[in-house]
Amino acid sequence: MKAFLPALAVSALLAGAVSAKAQDAPPPQEDWVLTSIPERKATLALAEFTSGVTLVARCIDGAYDLFITGLPEAPLRATTRDLGLSVGEDAALKTTVWTVGEDRTTAFSRLPAMVARQLAEGGELQIVAQGPDHRRYRFIMALNPSSTALEQTLTACGRPLIDPRDKDTEGDGRETLPALARWEIVPRPRFPAPVGGRSPTEGYAVLSCGAENDGRLVNCQIESEWPRGYGLGREALRSVDRARLRLNDEAAAAGRRLEDGIIVFSINFRMD
């Protein structure tokens, strides 16, 4: 898959972002700055830190993104990278998968609205990323809670400010299912028809779904998709109608149930 960074006229706001090692103590709390670009139907919230890291949450013409720039450069040819992330003084560091941008110091969340809601709670923010030297870099920052600017980006894209599904979610947008389940019937998406005579050769859509005891997926939502504008998320939703899950042996032995949580996974598209 190609690495990508959507074009938007905010480069001046993001200029100068460089990777940095962890600081001994977090800096003063930073708040988000709201930026509006009406001609692009865009609403952006930016938080810049002295470490060189910049967070950007944005709604552009109904599509929601959240990305981090100023990270250690991702390995050559890598299209995804793992980042450790925690928000709040007592929060555990959780490893999540992100998509690498054209600028390889940039990473896009595969669960942008969910991460934005976490960031809106504020407090100590930690990001852990592996650099090209195979060392782990830890960034410790502080965010003001209840960011109005961040909430406005969610509202602009019709995303809820509070979503009870977040606390029951398993998975982080990888192609593989979370440990709870495995595929009984694998979804088989079709490439949508070309748009304007153009069609991507590859892409992905990340879905979050509930599950019934019989393995059917229900109440699925599109969390992210790339490239946009080709209907990959819509086709991914169609493909899960016939798909079925089943508990893995360990989860079944532990008394788990498919309907107990929300399962997050990606569906990849590749043109043969």
Side-chain angles (χ1 to χ4, degrees):
M1 184 182 295
K2 294 181 180 178
F4 26 72
L5 176 63
L8 186 63
V10 295
S11 58
L13 294 172
L14 303 181
V18 295
S19 59
K21 295 182 179 180
Q23 301 181 18
D24 293 334
Q29 287 189 340
E30 298 290 342
D31 205 351
W32 298 80
V33 176
L34 186 68
T35 301
S36 179
I37 306 177
E39 63 272 18
R40 296 294 304 273
K41 299 180 182 178
T43 303
L44 301 91
L46 299 96
E48 298 181 277
F49 301 93
T50 56
S51 62
V53 167
T54 298
L55 306 179
V56 182
R58 67 187 185 184
C59 176
I60 304 177
D61 199 14
Y64 198 74
D65 267 330
L66 186 142
F67 61 92
I68 305 172
T69 189
L71 296 168
E73 190 169 318
L76 189 64
R77 291 186 292 276
T79 58
T80 63
R81 70 185 304 177
D82 287 346
L83 297 180
L85 183 72
S86 69
V87 184
E89 281 68 18
D90 299 322
L93 195 70
K94 182 178 180 181
T95 300
T96 54
V97 63
W98 296 60
T99 297
V100 177
E102 284 183 3
D103 174 354
R104 305 191 70 77
T105 71
T106 300
F108 286 81
S109 173
R110 291 197 165 196
L111 298 171
M114 188 181 301
V115 173
R117 287 189 287 267
Q118 289 179 301
L119 295 173
E121 296 176 2
E124 183 179 272
L125 167 64
Q126 290 195 55
I127 300 171
V128 176
Q130 182 172 307
D133 54 3
H134 303 294
R135 296 173 58 192
R136 283 161 51 92
Y137 290 77
R138 184 183 300 270
F139 301 85
I140 301 176
M141 298 157 283
L143 281 170
N144 280 327
S146 303
S147 168
T148 300
L150 192 57
E151 291 171 354
Q152 286 190 46
T153 66
L154 289 165
T155 300
C157 266
R159 301 298 186 104
L161 304 181
I162 299 174
D163 191 339
R165 292 163 52 104
D166 290 354
K167 64 182 178 61
D168 296 321
T169 294
E170 296 197 42
D172 59 6
R174 300 175 195 272
E175 187 175 6
T176 54
L177 288 169
L180 172 71
R182 63 184 180 89
W183 290 115
E184 179 77 8
I185 301 176
V186 178
R188 301 189 182 280
R190 297 180 179 179
F191 255 98
V195 176
R198 302 179 62 186
S199 181
T201 58
E202 55 189 352
Y204 69 83
V206 176
L207 304 181
S208 61
C209 300
E212 299 288 354
N213 192 47
D214 62 4
R216 290 182 299 116
L217 293 162
V218 296
N219 301 323
C220 292
Q221 297 180 8
I222 301 169
E223 297 293 338
S224 61
E225 61 183 294
W226 195 264
R228 291 205 177 90
Y230 294 97
L232 298 185
R234 183 176 61 250
E235 291 299 324
L237 285 177
R238 290 175 179 169
S239 75
V240 300
D241 286 345
R242 296 182 180 180
R244 294 292 184 271
L245 294 174
R246 66 175 297 176
L247 285 172
N248 64 34
D249 294 340
E250 292 80 5
R256 299 289 304 276
R257 302 186 307 168
L258 285 173
E259 60 265 39
D260 286 342
I262 301 298
I263 295 173
V264 175
F265 56 93
S266 72
I267 292 180
N268 289 352
F269 293 77
R270 294 182 181 90
M271 187 73 76
D272 294 332

